[in-house]
Amino acid sequence: KTFFLSNLATQSALAGRKTIFVNPKADGDISKLADYIGGETVRLSHLDQNEPGFFDPFNWAETPEEAITIATKFITDILDLDGTQSITVGNGIKQGVARGAQCVGQAYKYIKDDAIKHDIQGLHGQNDLFRLAIALSPRKKENIAKTPFTLIQWDKKLDLPTPGQEIKIHQRLALGLLQLTCLASSQWLKDAGGGVLIFDEAWTLLQNGAGSAIVEQLGREARSANVLPVLATQRVDDVLREGVNLETHLSRVFVLQLKDEKEQLAALKLCGLEPTDELQDTLGKLGAQTRLDESTGTSYIQPARAIYRDLDDRHSVVHIAPVPASAAAAYNTTPDMEAPVNDEV
C-alpha cells in the first residue's frame, strides 16, 4: 500500500502538483521518498520544540468562524463532553475571538466552566499532541505546501484504538490530531492553488462522527478547491459501516492485495463488483511475486497489481509498474526486504 502511494506521490509531484503525504506510521518512516522527490519532511516531534500550536485552527482555517467550529469539535471530542458542555465551549471560544483572541490558547479562557478550562490547561502542560493543537499566543500563518512535495511524518508511535475497544483519552488525542492534520493539509493545498492530499491509514478518520464528517467534507469540497484527496486504508470495511457515507464521495477505487474475507467483500462492493470465488482468489494474489522465466531459468519479480474502478465505473486489473530501481529503493520501508522492481513496460 505504501509503495503504491509513494508511486502516486512521485508522479503527482513531478507533474507539478503540490502534494502533501500524511504518514501516521512511526514504524514506517518514508522520509527517503521526500529526499528522492526533492521535497520536505515535517516531523511532528520537531514542531513543538520552539512554540506550541502548529495545528491550531486559527493558524490555518479559512475564517475565524471556521476556526471556532474546528477548535470546539476538537476540545469536545478529546474531553468527551456532552452536548451542553460543547455549547459552553463553543460560546466561550466565540466570545474570546470577539474580545480579540487569535489562537485557541487565548480564546479558551473565556469558557464559563472552570472544570473544562482546568482540563485544557492540564492537558496542554502534560501532552505533546495536545500542545500541537493549541497555541498559547498567535503564530505567524505558515503554509507547508511551498515545495512540490511535503511529507508529514509521525515519528512517535500513536496509540490508536481497535474496533469495539473503549476509546481512552490518549487515543482520542491521537485521532483528534490526525483529523486536524487532514483538515489543515487540505486548507494549505487550497491556499496554494490546489494539489493532492495523500492520507495513509485513513481508517483513523472514521473512528468517530467528527472524523467521518471531515472525510465527507473533503469529498464535497475537494473539487471546488482543486484538491484531490487520496485516502488509503487496510480496513476497507470501515468505509462501509453503518453511519459512514463515503461511497458517493469516491470517484476512483484501487484495491490491492487483501487476504481477509470480510475486507475482500467490502472492497469488491466499493468497486461495484459482485463477489465471486474467482475475484476473491484474485484479490488474495495481487501482491508482488517472484516468478521463474522458464526460457532462461532466471527469476524475476512480477510487480503488484490492483483492481481499478475508474470514473465511468469501468474495471481493469493494472500493474503498479514500471518503477525505476532508484524509486523502488526510496519507496521501500523494509530495508531487509527486496523492493519489487520492474523497469520494463
Side-chain angles (χ1 to χ4, degrees):
K1 176 167 57 70
T2 303
F3 189 96
F4 171 61
L5 295 176
S6 298
N7 198 19
L8 285 182
T10 300
Q11 296 182 59
S12 171
L14 293 179
R17 297 178 178 88
K18 300 284 188 183
T19 304
I20 296 179
F21 191 134
V22 180
N23 181 32
K25 296 180 293 186
D27 55 354
D29 191 310
I30 57 171
S31 55
K32 289 188 299 181
L33 168 65
D35 296 338
Y36 178 75
I37 299 175
E40 178 184 11
T41 298
V42 176
R43 298 184 182 278
L44 264 69
S45 64
H46 298 170
L47 297 180
D48 190 38
Q49 290 180 352
N50 298 320
E51 56 179 325
F54 185 82
F55 290 106
D56 188 305
F58 289 91
N59 193 38
W60 49 265
E62 197 163 20
T63 64
E65 292 74 23
E66 184 182 9
I68 291 168
T69 299
I70 294 169
T72 300
K73 284 185 177 180
F74 178 77
I75 292 172
T76 296
D77 289 342
I78 301 310
L79 299 183
D80 198 21
L81 304 178
D82 60 30
T84 300
Q85 291 171 314
S86 179
I87 292 172
T88 300
V89 170
N91 287 338
I93 294 176
K94 184 176 181 179
Q95 183 180 358
V97 171
R99 299 283 185 89
Q102 299 178 50
C103 62
V104 179
Q106 290 178 337
Y108 87 82
K109 297 176 182 179
Y110 291 85
I111 297 173
K112 294 182 178 180
D113 186 315
D114 290 339
I116 292 176
K117 288 191 290 186
H118 180 269
D119 288 343
I120 293 172
Q121 184 177 14
L123 275 174
H124 199 279
Q126 299 169 12
N127 191 281
D128 52 356
L129 294 183
F130 197 76
R131 282 194 296 273
L132 282 169
I134 295 182
L136 297 180
S137 58
R139 295 176 55 118
K140 180 182 178 181
K141 281 204 169 188
E142 300 178 63
N143 189 336
I144 65 171
K146 51 186 179 288
T147 61
F149 177 80
T150 303
L151 168 67
I152 300 178
Q153 176 65 55
W154 257 252
D155 46 0
K156 299 180 180 180
K157 186 173 178 59
L158 294 176
D159 185 1
L160 297 168
T162 56
Q165 178 187 35
E166 181 181 353
I167 302 179
K168 299 178 181 178
I169 187 168
H170 57 282
Q171 293 170 328
R172 294 198 297 271
L173 273 166
L175 293 173
L177 192 62
L178 283 174
Q179 291 160 11
L180 279 186
T181 306
C182 184
L183 282 175
S185 298
S186 178
Q187 185 61 49
W188 284 323
L189 286 170
K190 182 178 179 180
D191 292 343
V196 178
L197 170 59
I198 299 175
F199 200 104
D200 202 357
E201 306 299 330
W203 65 269
T204 58
L205 298 175
L206 306 175
Q207 295 301 295
N208 56 31
S212 298
I214 286 170
V215 176
E216 292 186 27
Q217 178 183 342
L218 282 176
R220 289 192 306 270
E221 299 178 358
R223 182 176 299 177
S224 61
N226 198 27
V227 174
L228 173 66
V230 179
L231 305 177
T233 181
Q234 288 178 316
R235 286 161 50 168
V236 190
D237 189 59
D238 280 352
V239 179
L240 299 174
R241 65 181 172 82
E242 186 177 355
V244 177
N245 178 30
L246 296 186
E247 291 177 83
T248 57
H249 301 302
L250 300 178
S251 60
R252 307 162 183 82
V253 176
F254 284 90
V255 179
L256 302 171
Q257 178 175 271
L258 289 169
K259 293 185 178 293
D260 181 82
E261 181 179 8
K262 184 178 180 183
E263 300 296 340
Q264 289 175 345
L265 294 175
L268 291 172
K269 183 177 180 182
L270 275 184
C271 276
L273 293 170
E274 290 294 328
T276 64
D277 291 341
E278 182 181 4
L279 278 174
Q280 287 185 246
D281 183 61
T282 299
L283 283 179
K285 298 177 180 177
L286 290 178
Q289 298 182 26
T290 301
R291 300 291 191 188
L292 178 66
D293 185 336
E294 296 182 358
S295 63
T296 63
T298 58
S299 62
Y300 66 95
I301 295 178
Q302 174 187 281
R305 297 169 294 157
I307 293 177
Y308 173 53
R309 188 205 81 193
D310 73 2
L311 281 166
D312 297 316
D313 288 326
R314 297 174 298 182
H315 301 84
S316 180
V317 174
V318 297
H319 283 85
I320 313 303
V323 177
S326 56
Y331 302 166
N332 189 17
T333 58
T334 312
D336 295 334
M337 293 181 64
E338 183 180 7
V341 180
N342 188 335
D343 289 326
E344 299 178 359
V345 177

